[in-house]
Structure formats: C-alpha cells, structure tokens
Amino acid sequence: EPEVTQTPSHQVTQMGQEVILRCVPISNHLYFYWYRQILGQKVEFLVSFYNNEISEKSEIFDDQFSVERPDGSNFTLKIRSTKLEDSAMYFCASREGVWNQPQHFGDGTRLSIL
Amino acid sequence: DQQVKQNSPSLSVQEGRISILNCDYTNSMFDYFLWYKKYPAEGPTFLISISSIKDKNEDGRFTVFLNKSAKHLSLHIVPSQPGDSAVYFCAAVVGKLTFGTGTRLTIIP
C-alpha cells in the first residue's frame, strides 16, 4: 500500500540553526500538510499546500517557517532559525483530492533543539 | 482551542468485548470526521471516517456513529483484540484537520 515517507526520523539541531524536514507524499495525492505534536500535547495543524501554494496556515506557522515542493515528489518544511520550543514530532500528510478523502500520515520526524 | 474533545484519556476493555471511544466537537462547520489510531513512534493511521450527511459508517469491526444535534462522535470496536491497544484520535475537518487529545485504549487479554 502506498505510504507517506519522512526523513530523517530524528533530527538534532543547535538552537538558531536552520533545519529542513523532508517528506515524500503518496504519488497521486494533490494536497499536502504539515502537523506537529509537542510532547504530551495534541497534534496541531501547521500548513496546507495545494497547486504549488499555501492554502491555509496556522498561527504557529510564522515567518520562520516555509514549505516547498521543489520537484514532483518531495515536500519540505524549513525552519530558518530554530528555537527550543520547536522541539516536537513533525508529521507530513497528504490527501488524494476530493474533500471527503482521509489524510494519510508519515511516521514523523522527531526534532530536538539543543 | 478545544473544538474537538476526547474526555477520556484512557480506557481498558476485556478482549472480545466492545470498546466505545467518544468525541465531542463544538464547531458546526465541521463536515467530515475521522478516527485515527496511533502506535508509539509511528504516525497516525487512518481507521474510518464519516461525512456530516450520514449518521453511521461501518467497516469490519469498526463502526463510527455521528450525532449532529449533540455534536458527538463515537467509535465502536467489536470484538476488541489485543492489537487494538493504541492511542485513538478523533479528528474533524473544515479544510484542515483538528484533532482531539486522544484516548489510550488498552485491551486486556
């Protein structure tokens, strides 16, 4: 069964450094998402992406965050200058097309900021 | 922001019995609801969904019920199996997914 893949599984970065989290969505999917889960908290929406542009973003997704689909397969989340509070699990998800289709998630990247 | 709430953080059920997980929401604009299952160190796995025009959807051992007037959603698992032990999240959609806080289900052999 097709799946969403995320790399790396764990990223350790010094505070203030840039980090890029990578995702390969399911190949025929058109909608892409990033979510995060801080330890002990609920999964929170960050951003959605469709047709090569951001379609919705949350208050968390400030100027330090950006997303890109550099080619036909990858979808990346960049954090420009990481902060301690960016430490979390980051999940990528994709959805096929119509509104009543489920989002499918990758296994996440654990981001640890030191 | 508590638009989707799961009031039971944990639930223990005997193997073979029915597990019932509950979820309440406040936003009447939600038009699609989903249940996800999550194991440690893995991402949420889609289980079953229901659109707001229906009140029940069944898939094997899993049934989701939607009561729009009460803004209440439930997931029934019958019979419960040891492999069902996981954290279950309900989620609601208006564009993006809004997740509940999760219920840890433990199936006792």
Side-chain angles (χ1 to χ4, degrees), chain A residues 9 11 21 29 33 35 42-43 47-48 50 52-54 56 60-61 70 77 83 87 91 101-102 104 109-110 112:
Chain A
S9 56
Q11 174 80 45
L21 309 183
H29 285 192
Y33 305 84
Y35 293 82
K42 60 200 297 186
V43 178
V47 66
S48 58
Y50 169 70
N52 281 320
E53 60 183 28
I54 290 173
E56 188 175 358
I60 303 166
F61 195 88
L77 174 69
K83 303 188 276 281
S87 295
F91 294 106
Q101 289 288 319
H104 294 273
T109 293
R110 178 173 300 283
S112 300

Side-chain angles (χ1 to χ4, degrees), chain B residues 70-84:
Chain B
K71 294 193 176 69
H72 180 79
L73 190 69
S74 63
L75 174 68
H76 292 208
I77 306 172
V78 56
S80 301
Q81 299 173 353
D84 296 331

